[in-house]
Each structure stands twice: as structure tokens, then as C-alpha cells.
Amino acid sequence: MTIIRDEKKGGEQLESQVRRAFEPACGDGFVERHLGLSAPDRAAMLEVLGVESIDQLIAETVPSAIRSARGLDLAPLPATGLSEPETIAELNRLAGKNELYRSYLGMGYSSTVVPAVIQRNILENPAWYTQYTPYQAEISQGRLEALLNFQTMIADLTALPVVNASLLDEATAAAEAMHMCWAIAKQDRPGFFVARDCHPQTIAVVATRAEALGIELEIGDPATFDPSPGQVAGMLLQYPTTEGRIEDYREVCSRAHDSGTLVVVACDLLALVLLRPPGEFGADIAVGSSQRFGVPLGYGGPHAAFLATREAYKRQIPGRIIGVSHDRQGQTAYRMALQTREQHIRREKATSNICTAQVLLAVMAGMYAVYHGPEGLRRIARRVHALTAALATGLKDLGFQLKFEAFFDTLAVNLGGQSAEALVARAGAERINLRLLSEDTVGIALDEATSEADVATLLRVFGGDEVVEPVLRTASDNSQVPIELARTSPILSHPVFHQYHTEHEMLRYIRHLESKDLSLVHSMIPLGSCTMKLNATTEMVPISWPGFADLHPFAPLDQTRGYQELFATLESWLCEITGFAAASLQPNAGSQGEYSGLLVIRAFHRSRGENQRDVCLIPVSAHGTNPASATMAGLRVVTVACDEHGNIDVQDLSAKAERHRDQLAALMVTYPSTNGVFEERIREVCQVVHDAGGQVYLDGANMNAQVGLCRPADYGADVCHLNLHKTFCIPHGGGGPGMGPICVAPHLAPYLPSHPVVPVGGKQAIGAVSAAPWGSAGILPISFAYIALMGGEGLTRASRSAIFNANYMAARLSEHYPVLFSGARGRVAHEFIVDLRPFKTTAGIEAEDVAKRLMDYGFHAPTMSFPVAGTLMIEPTESESKAELDRFCDAMISIREEIRAIEEGNADRADNPLKNAPHPAALLVEEEWKHPYSRREAVYPLPRTRERKFWPAVSRIDNAWGDRNLFCTCPFPTEMAQIEGDGTRVDGE
């Protein structure tokens, strides 16, 4: 890392006078701006806590046996980190080392034109990228509507009615579809067929998932594959194929269905604008990526994948589904539907382990369709196809042969006697990347960003100056879509895709939706285990730079030296922070990190001939993703009890480790615990597992309490994943993107994930776990910038401040609510749980009532009923000011007084501000106010709410109605009448 170079001295300089020149006029650096507390604030909070210093608090919180005695050595960073201008300059240097060639590599990735109105007002807008997952739907109506647009777009283009709100990438979506077929078949059919002309990364990820689950994978030609009745759960086809061929799959689908085999089709969304959709030729499930709908390449991600299916399989679909319901006033409202099939409720029996999806990118893709509308998409698709047809004509005029005559945007070109490697090298000299298919065949995939000049350049690379002009003049006449496969059904018929085609109308629509969503631009989001901290603007700026945003993930490595340096540096920093020896950046979500870490452990055991080790011990307090991930990794879950203090019951752990000594593969443990406690016996817990031959998987969700204070490897863990969208400042994006890289001990390093296109991973690597070799590389500059800005000292201070803030809030609230768990010396970690269960008896009030009432105070609720039903888990992070911490505490205390009024008979038990919360503005203009409390009490419960009021868009939503009457696409007026009606419930109520 070159930070500042003095040309005269020829060395790196970080002299104090240079650093001072970069500091802002206010005199403080980035660390002070990231941490929310002033010196007077800290003094006041220490007094409340009854300690002399934060040092004393940390000593009372973090067990001395695991506290690190050394500071973080994040070379080549100075301990105090870089200034913001220095960090921007360093990232600019790295971006400049990436060579921006014109890539025609395809394989599911395309250059695209991101509409500026979408880039500026969604991708680069903190009101969109700092939202949390829409679990509290009443204050998430904007992004829920945007996601419903996305689902409607996918349903229209695939001709399949049930769609989820995004998946991580196309390859993992295909793997999820295989798992779904297997589940529908009740796991009685051991086989799954994959067409050999699927994208290579898709085949690799599906193979990884199949091996772990014991699914027998067959890769071959679908035209000759004859599934045996009762043996094959499903088959995967690519449409068009990875080499560009448009195949008529009707007969293949018919044969599959005759044997009871489900058909999954991985498809290209832009191609579906012109091609017969999968739902019309027999597909049961369609998967793919929406990347080419206005989402940058980002060297592999983040991009929103999709999965669409038939109505019959709606309860088996993985990921989140946005559905339509109504609120108490009968107004149409959106929410996440069918959540009982998800991992936090179903755990190891869930449809998937997915926790973070790609919401921000799904919103962008959906808005791309809204902005262009059906005719705009047709123009784009026809232009891309016409240019491809022109290129095909020109290549044939030059004497080259096409491997396939039916295509959309991708050609496989046979070079006859010429060397494909030589041609690829010749193209490289023109700053063009072509795909090497074989010794004499190259692939060329065009896209929205391709121009006529680009086609001319390509033809010249092939040696054809003289054919360029006549070919381009006839481009529009050369459709190569077989008439029997041409689309005849309409697309995007809902009014939302016809109303916002001018920029000012699009801008107003985006802003209208934005106004319905609470995000970090409004207030703190105190979600336990989710670490909703400051996502600094400086950290976010570089992700839109072309040097990071516009690279194809399979570009030659010598064109991506900046990214390679960033990866190496970031991996070294993460290893230093955790104490581990090696890292993989491939897992593109925390759930993927869990899955990958368990596969690495499984591979380690198998390399030692211990294939029988398949038991995974998981505490009852664990995240729901833990047991779901263990099941996906082919492990059997055995639950471990916790004691009355929220700690792992070491006696129960020891007994179960001994009982399963010969089969024990791993323990999954979260530290600090999900109950918000630094467990004193964590070293002993790890040793018990090691003594029984198992490995310790540490869930890194709570790493924000550990960085710089203790290291998982030092107290006994063997592998951990890190939620970069939590501890390391990648924003949550309304429910994604995320990144979940894993760090491992030396003995596990050989098994880190591989990739079929770009060489990565260990010498005995497990298969690929994500479509791109470094996951969602496009957002890694955010975490790089955060660590660079903070330095080792700043990161340590952040952990200390997170613990300090949590203990301060716990101290304030403990006078009003029971704090459920604490450590050996009465302290909580970086989060804590308040118990609301007694109020159900005393006042008829439940956790959901408190969560909804907090909306009237301008807050998103803390994590509700997890890990203990009837509780709230609160995490303030290090970034909030004392004023904001107090504002939330004041709201909670005021709510406690509202509950007390019910308990004492001064408020109605059924008709009160909590039971009726939230109160949208529409209620204020009702002619008759029917409640025993005033309108002012309803919407302005504290003076502060008059100054800065965030209005919920709707009143409390009827969740049960929405599950019984699933609408997961934009409703038309006739359907709106069914949804709204008179507000009564139907269907067996």
C-alpha cells in the first residue's frame, strides 16, 4: 500500500505536518466522527454506570482470560489510520491499477447503462442503502413497493407467478432451486441433472451444494438425457446456453414431467423480452440474475438473482417473498409473506439458510424496468440482438463459422485453422476481452453498452475492415430468434411500468417511496445482532468509480491488479483482527460464510478419513441461520442447552460431545453470545469440542464487540465468518447486499473455496460457494476504507464504545424493564435483552405492541422476540451520540409509563396507544376520533416528536390475511378491491 510518496526522498511519508494538512477545520479526525460520544458525554455516562473509566468497564465485561494484550498490527497502516483524503487517494490508486478493457465474456455478466437518476437517488442515497430488512413493514412501505415491482417484473418476464424478493447470485439461485426440487420430492429422489452448457460457475456451485446434501449429480446433454422414473428430482437448463444457443426445450420438459422430474431454467432477463418465457414451455422454476438491468458489474457483485416458480410450490420457495395485505383501515399495505418457512422460525427445517439477500440491487433492477417500461426494454433487447446479428453476418462474410445459428446476444465462433489463443491475444492488444471456448473457438457476448463502433472494432480484430459498413447498415434486418421461440405474450402490463419514463417523474417516484421508509438518516436502528452503525460517505464513494464498478469478474488477472492488492490487504487485516491464518472473500453473505466454513470443516475431517463426523452441536440461543446452514452442509444438528444466565450449559455440552465423540464434526457458537454476554467459559467450551475431535465454528455476527479486544483464534475457534455488512460498515441496503468472508486456522487453509474460471482457494479446496471468485467484490472497498480510516487503535476504540453504549442503555432501562442476561460481573456485551413477557399478564401488552408503538416515537424497533420470545434485543453500536441513546431510552421509558397506565386502570386494556400503534397521519384527519386517548398522545407522545416526526405510511398490517391470500406481484385495480374491501378477513377466518 502506497499512502503518500515524497518524490525527492523516494519513500513513504506519513509525517505529522502532512497528516495535519489533511485534517478538517474542526480539528478532529475520522475516528472521532465515527464514534458518537464527546468527552462530556462519556463522563456523564460513566457516572450513570458507576465506573471510573471505560477501561474499568471493559475489565468488568470481557473475561480477562481472553483479552488480548497486544494491539492490532494492520500493516502497512499507521495505528491511528488514515485521514479521509488519504483513504480516497489510496483507493483511487488501487482503482487506477485495474485495467478497463471492453469485456465480451458473457457467462451471465453484462455491461449495462445505469440510469443516472437511479444511481444518484438509490445506489448512492443513504436513505435507501442504510435501511434494515423490512421486518417492521409499516415503516418499510417504500422499499416493499419497490421489491414488489421487482417481483412483478420477474413474474412477467418468466411467466411464472410466484417470485421471491431476490437471491445472492445466479449460481446460488440454481443451487437453491436444486434444493427446492429435492425438498418437493421429499428427498426420495437422489438425482439431479445439470445441462453441460450451463455457465461453468453455476455448475460448480450446484455441484458443491449437491455433494454436501448427498444428491447424485449428472452433467450431460439434455437432448439425450432420459430421466428414470422416481430417480431424478429435477434438471437444470440454461436459456440461452452459456455459448449463446437458443434451444427449444419443450420436448425436454415434456419428457422430464413424464418421469416426475421438475425443470429448472436459468434464464437471461433481457433475452426473455424477445424469447418465449420458461413458464410457457414447461419450466417449473426459473432462476437467473437481474444484473444487466442497470446494476454495475462490480467485478462479480453485488447483483440481485431471482427465483420464480409455480403457485403449487410457494411454500417451498427459498428467500423472502414480498406480499400484499391491508392495514386496519383497509388500506393496501405490503409486508414480507410466509415468514414461518424462514430460517429464524423453522431453523434446520427451513427452506434455506438465507438471511441477507440483495434488496438494494433488486430495487435498482426493478426501477430500471419501471424507468424504461416494456417498450424501452424491447428497444434495448432488439438493439442488442441486432448488433449481434450484424456481427454474426460480418464474421460469416469473413469466412468464419458460427457454432449455432439461433442466438440472442452471444456467439460461439469457430476459427477454422486459426488459434483461438492467438485471436484472444490479438483482441487483448485492442483492449478487448473475448472468451476462450476451445482451441479453435471463441465466445463473444454483446450487451446494452455495445455500440456500432464496438462491432466495427470486433470485426477488425477478426481481420475484416472491408465488411464493416454494409453489415452495420443491415443490422436491424437480421433477427436470429426462431419464430417458434419468439415471445408473443405481453410484458410489464401493470401501470407502474407505464408512468415514470421521464426523469422528473422517475425522480418523484423514487423520492415518494423513500419518504415511506425509516433508515439511519432518520434515527438510530438499535437492532440486536445486526449492528446498524455509521456507513460513512467516504467509505461509500469509491464503489461507483469505474475502476471498481465496471470490471467483469472473469477478466484476466493482469487487468485487475488493483483489486488483487485490495483483496490481499483486506484478507491480511481480517486475519490479524481474528487471529487466523488465511481467509476467503468468496462467501457473499453471512449465511454463505456459515455454510462455507462448515464445508471447510467437513473437508478437513474427510481428508483424515473421518467421513462419519457429521454431528453439529448448536446452542438453543444460536441464530436460525446456524442450524439451517448445518443442514445444508450435510450435518446433523444436535441442540445444546443454555443455563438460566444465557450461557452455554457446559455440562450439557460435555455430555453431548462425549455421546457423539466419534461423529462430532463441529460446534457452532456465537461470541459474545446471542444473549448479549461474554461467556466466561468460552475457552473451556472450545476445548471440550476439540477433545472430542470436533472443530469450533464461530459465528462472527457479534464481532463488533471483539475487534481489538480479543481474537477468536486465540481462545479456541478454528474458523469464523465475518459479517462485513455489520462490523465492517457495508450498509444493510434494506436487506442486502452483504458479505460473509471466512477466516480459518492453518490446518483448514488448504480447503478454502475454489472457482472453476479464476484460480482461487486452497490446495485441497472445496468447490465454489458463490458465482464470482471473490463474491460481491464491488462492495469490498467499503470495508477496506473503514479499516484504513480507523486503524488498529480506532477499531479497538469502536469495540470499547459499542460495549460502553450498550451498558449505559442497559443501566438506564433496567430501572423500567428487566434486563434478561448479564455477565459474571453484571455487565452486558455490545447488546442486551429487555424482557417484556410480564406485561402480557399485567396489561395485555406484547412485544409486537411495543415494537409498533416505537414507530410513533420515530424509531425502528430493536430485534423482536429473538433469541427469546417476548423480548427486545437492543444494540446501539459505537456510532450513536449520547443524545440519540437518550432519545431512544426516553421513548422506551415513556412506553413503560403507557403500559403502567394500563396496569393501573388509567388506560383501556384493549383500546390504548400501544394496541393501536402505529398511528399514520391519515388517522388525524378522520372526522371522528373514537379512542379514549387524544390524537396528540397518539402521534406526539414526547415533545421531540413534534420537532422531527417520521410518519408511518400505514397502520398495523394484517399479517395473517396476507399469508392466507398471497399476492406477490403488483395488484391491479380489481385485485386491490379484493385486498382492501371492508377490511374483513376471509378464507376460513
Side-chain angles (χ1 to χ4, degrees):
M1 178 188 293
T2 303
I3 300 164
I4 299 176
R5 183 167 293 280
D6 186 316
E7 296 297 336
K8 293 182 179 179
K9 295 183 179 180
E12 292 182 3
Q13 297 288 323
L14 280 174
E15 303 292 346
S16 59
Q17 65 269 25
V18 177
R19 179 173 292 283
R20 283 197 300 272
F22 279 122
E23 296 295 357
C26 62
D28 61 354
F30 177 82
V31 174
E32 296 303 326
R33 290 193 296 279
H34 179 81
L35 304 178
L37 303 178
S38 66
D41 288 341
R42 287 192 289 270
M45 292 164 66
L46 287 169
E47 186 174 350
V48 169
L49 287 169
V51 293
E52 296 294 324
S53 65
I54 298 180
D55 285 340
Q56 181 184 341
L57 175 68
I58 298 301
E60 294 176 1
T61 305
V62 184
S64 59
I66 67 168
R67 281 204 303 273
S68 179
R70 56 190 289 279
L72 292 174
D73 180 12
L74 303 177
L77 284 179
T80 53
L82 306 182
S83 71
E84 292 180 70
E86 289 169 342
T87 299
I88 288 291
E90 173 61 10
L91 283 162
N92 190 51
R93 181 186 71 83
L94 293 173
K97 293 181 71 174
N98 294 325
E99 298 282 347
L100 288 176
Y101 282 37
R102 188 68 177 89
S103 287
Y104 301 102
L105 297 168
M107 290 185 272
Y109 298 95
S110 304
S111 293
T112 186
V113 178
V114 184
V117 66
I118 294 174
Q119 176 167 321
R120 173 64 62 88
N121 295 290
I122 294 179
L123 177 62
E124 298 174 353
N125 182 354
W128 282 94
Y129 66 66
T130 67
Q131 301 161 348
Y132 182 60
T133 303
Y135 286 122
Q136 296 296 338
E138 292 84 356
I139 50 174
S140 307
Q141 289 295 294
R143 105 199 61 146
L144 287 167
E145 181 173 329
L147 288 172
L148 201 69
N149 294 343
F150 173 82
Q151 292 178 181
T152 303
M153 171 189 79
I154 301 300
D156 278 7
L157 291 175
T158 62
L160 289 166
V162 180
V163 185
N164 65 18
S166 75
L167 292 174
L168 298 172
D169 57 45
E170 181 172 333
T172 55
E176 295 288 350
M178 176 188 66
H179 190 278
M180 183 177 164
C181 292
W182 191 53
I184 292 168
K186 309 296 184 187
Q187 305 180 11
D188 293 331
R189 292 168 173 247
F192 190 81
F193 176 84
V194 177
R196 65 188 176 202
D197 48 15
C198 291
H199 295 315
Q201 70 274 17
T202 299
I203 295 173
V205 171
V206 169
T208 302
R209 183 78 65 89
E211 193 278 333
L213 294 172
I215 297 173
E216 298 170 6
L217 204 66
E218 181 175 346
I219 301 171
D221 183 353
T224 59
F225 178 65
D226 188 12
S228 301
Q231 293 300 306
V232 179
M235 65 187 309
L236 174 66
L237 309 170
Q238 191 88 44
Y239 181 67
T241 70
T242 189
E243 294 184 353
R245 184 177 81 259
I246 300 174
E247 187 66 60
D248 187 343
Y249 287 125
R250 286 175 292 182
E251 194 272 333
V252 172
C253 293
S254 178
R255 280 192 286 113
H257 290 153
D258 286 345
S259 70
T261 298
L262 298 177
V263 178
V264 182
V265 176
C267 46
D268 182 312
L269 281 185
L270 192 62
L272 295 186
V273 173
L274 302 183
L275 299 182
R276 182 188 297 271
E280 292 181 8
F281 62 69
D284 301 288
I285 303 170
V287 298
S289 171
S290 64
Q291 179 266 316
R292 70 186 309 175
F293 276 26
V295 178
L297 284 164
Y299 200 41
H303 307 139
F306 61 84
L307 190 153
T309 190
R310 301 192 182 281
E311 182 77 22
Y313 307 131
K314 64 187 179 185
R315 293 191 181 275
Q316 284 81 30
I317 193 171
R320 296 167 178 144
I321 305 173
I322 306 308
V324 185
S325 188
H326 53 234
D327 71 359
R328 284 179 171 171
Q329 275 62 52
Q331 178 181 344
T332 297
Y334 310 117
R335 55 180 287 276
M336 293 201 300
L338 303 180
Q339 292 185 54
T340 53
R341 72 204 153 74
E342 294 187 21
Q343 76 288 339
H344 283 301
I345 295 174
R346 293 279 288 169
R347 298 173 73 82
E348 67 267 25
K349 296 180 181 179
T351 55
S352 73
N353 72 335
I354 294 166
C355 191
T356 300
Q358 303 283 25
V359 168
L360 185 68
L361 299 315
V363 167
M364 289 181 66
M367 288 296 187
Y368 179 93
V370 168
Y371 193 40
H372 288 294
E375 285 308 312
L377 290 186
R378 288 191 188 100
R379 283 194 299 272
I380 294 168
R382 287 169 180 156
R383 180 178 175 278
V384 171
H385 180 63
L387 289 173
T388 309
L391 177 61
T393 300
L395 290 170
K396 286 191 282 189
D397 287 350
L398 289 170
F400 297 103
Q401 291 184 331
L402 300 183
K403 193 172 178 180
F404 312 109
E405 291 295 332
F407 54 80
F408 169 63
D409 66 357
T410 300
L411 305 175
V413 186
N414 188 286
L415 305 178
Q418 292 190 36
S419 164
E421 285 191 6
L423 181 65
V424 168
R426 189 158 70 242
E430 298 290 334
R431 300 182 69 81
I432 289 172
N433 292 323
L434 301 180
R435 182 181 177 189
L436 184 65
L437 293 174
S438 68
E439 291 181 357
D440 62 355
T441 308
V442 298
I444 311 172
L446 304 191
D447 50 50
E448 180 190 8
T450 304
S451 66
E452 291 188 3
D454 291 327
V455 173
T457 301
L458 283 167
L459 288 171
R460 292 189 184 101
V461 166
F462 280 83
D465 291 337
E466 69 280 0
V467 301
V468 170
E469 292 306 325
V471 163
L472 292 178
R473 281 198 298 271
T474 61
S476 61
D477 301 325
N478 294 335
S479 175
Q480 298 299 310
V481 176
I483 187 136
E484 67 274 13
L485 293 179
R487 184 170 197 130
T488 58
S489 55
I491 61 170
L492 308 185
S493 54
H494 191 275
V496 74
F497 299 108
H498 296 262
Q499 295 174 334
Y500 307 109
H501 299 165
T502 63
E503 182 163 337
H504 59 277
E505 291 297 342
M506 186 66 182
L507 177 64
R508 290 165 186 161
Y509 181 55
I510 291 171
R511 292 292 185 179
H512 169 65
L513 296 188
E514 176 190 318
S515 69
K516 297 182 177 184
D517 276 29
L518 186 143
S519 68
L520 284 175
V521 306
H522 300 100
S523 60
M524 71 183 294
I525 302 180
L527 284 149
S529 194
C530 294
T531 315
M532 300 291 291
K533 62 203 288 179
L534 171 68
N535 314 119
T537 305
T538 293
E539 296 158 12
M540 301 300 298
V541 165
I543 67 169
S544 296
W545 294 348
F548 290 129
D550 293 347
L551 269 74
H552 193 286
F554 304 147
L557 291 177
D558 62 3
Q559 296 171 22
T560 63
R561 290 191 175 97
Y563 260 124
Q564 302 310 315
E565 184 177 336
L566 185 150
F567 298 154
T569 303
L570 183 58
E571 286 175 5
S572 72
W573 289 345
L574 297 179
C575 286
E576 167 65 11
I577 287 166
T578 59
F580 288 113
S584 170
L585 300 174
Q586 190 173 128
N588 53 2
S591 56
Q592 286 291 92
E594 292 176 13
Y595 169 65
S596 305
L598 292 173
L599 289 186
V600 166
I601 289 173
R602 189 170 174 267
F604 167 73
H605 288 311
R606 294 193 166 205
S607 74
R608 293 154 55 91
E610 297 185 316
N611 294 18
Q612 82 284 357
R613 291 194 176 272
D614 66 348
V615 168
C616 187
L617 302 178
I618 301 181
V620 294
S621 62
H623 295 108
T625 52
N626 286 183
S629 295
T631 299
M632 276 178 48
L635 303 178
R636 293 183 292 136
V637 174
V638 173
T639 302
V640 177
C642 288
D643 63 23
E644 66 275 16
H645 303 294
N647 301 311
I648 292 174
D649 185 329
V650 179
Q651 184 175 352
D652 187 54
L653 172 71
S654 299
K656 287 173 178 172
E658 181 60 32
R659 184 183 312 157
H660 300 285
R661 170 175 289 274
D662 294 335
Q663 294 81 38
L664 182 59
L667 164 74
M668 297 188 80
V669 59
T670 302
Y671 199 76
S673 76
T674 309
N675 292 323
V677 175
F678 276 96
E679 300 189 36
E680 296 284 327
R681 300 174 71 180
I682 186 63
R683 283 187 181 274
E684 183 182 350
V685 164
C686 295
Q687 192 60 51
V688 165
V689 175
H690 288 151
D691 288 346
Q695 297 283 287
V696 176
Y697 178 93
L698 186 118
D699 184 318
N702 292 341
M703 197 68 197
N704 207 49
Q706 296 189 71
V707 178
L709 300 180
C710 55
R711 306 196 305 174
D714 293 346
Y715 55 75
D718 298 290
V719 54
C720 77
H721 85 267
L722 298 170
N723 295 100
L724 300 190
H725 53 286
K726 297 182 182 182
T727 306
F728 297 98
C729 285
I730 291 174
H732 280 64
M739 276 290 277
I742 56 173
C743 299
V744 299
H747 63 282
L748 297 181
Y751 310 100
L752 289 174
S754 61
H755 194 274
V757 183
V758 181
V760 296
K763 294 180 179 179
Q764 298 171 264
I766 62 170
V769 296
S770 299
W774 290 279
S776 294
I779 52 176
L780 290 177
I782 301 170
S783 295
F784 181 97
Y786 170 65
I787 296 173
L789 287 162
M790 297 293 284
E793 292 180 4
L795 292 175
T796 305
R797 284 185 60 191
S799 300
R800 290 160 54 90
S801 293
I803 293 170
F804 183 42
N805 289 353
N807 277 277
Y808 169 73
M809 293 182 74
R812 279 207 65 191
L813 292 179
S814 63
E815 298 178 17
H816 308 274
Y817 299 89
V819 173
L820 203 52
F821 302 114
S822 60
R825 286 164 291 281
R827 301 299 183 185
V828 299
H830 65 309
E831 60 191 7
F832 61 99
I833 298 172
V834 295
D835 193 357
L836 307 180
R837 291 173 296 181
F839 304 136
K840 185 174 183 179
T841 300
T842 62
I845 294 299
E846 302 188 52
E848 183 179 25
D849 300 320
V850 175
K852 302 307 180 188
R853 182 58 171 156
L854 276 167
M855 297 177 190
D856 292 327
Y857 286 81
F859 286 105
H860 193 293
T863 302
M864 188 177 73
S865 292
F866 174 80
V868 180
T871 66
L872 295 179
M873 181 163 60
I874 301 169
E875 180 183 354
T877 83
E878 72 275 13
S879 299
E880 300 297 343
S881 66
K882 180 177 181 293
E884 187 71 358
L885 303 181
D886 284 335
R887 194 166 74 89
F888 180 80
C889 289
D890 291 344
M892 287 292 291
I893 293 167
S894 177
I895 289 172
R896 178 65 184 95
E897 292 308 308
E898 292 175 344
I899 296 171
R900 196 182 314 280
I902 302 169
E903 292 172 325
E904 295 175 351
N906 297 321
D908 189 275
R909 195 176 176 95
D911 188 1
N912 58 68
L914 283 94
K915 282 296 181 184
N916 295 328
H919 298 82
L923 289 179
L924 296 186
V925 297
E926 288 186 348
E927 291 187 8
E928 183 181 0
W929 182 258
K930 301 177 182 179
H931 306 295
Y933 55 94
S934 69
R935 299 179 201 240
R936 185 196 62 77
E937 290 176 296
V939 301
Y940 295 131
L942 286 176
R944 171 73 170 175
T945 55
R946 285 180 173 271
E947 301 169 19
R948 290 173 57 181
K949 176 69 179 178
F950 179 86
W951 292 96
V954 295
S955 60
R956 198 174 303 194
I957 296 171
D958 190 334
N959 293 322
W961 192 96
D963 278 352
R964 289 195 305 273
N965 303 268
L966 181 64
F967 291 81
C968 64
T969 56
C970 297
F972 283 88
T974 54
E975 295 172 318
M976 295 278 283
Q978 178 185 346
I979 293 164
E980 294 179 353
D982 60 1
T984 59
R985 297 181 178 178
V986 296
D987 293 353
E989 168 72 0

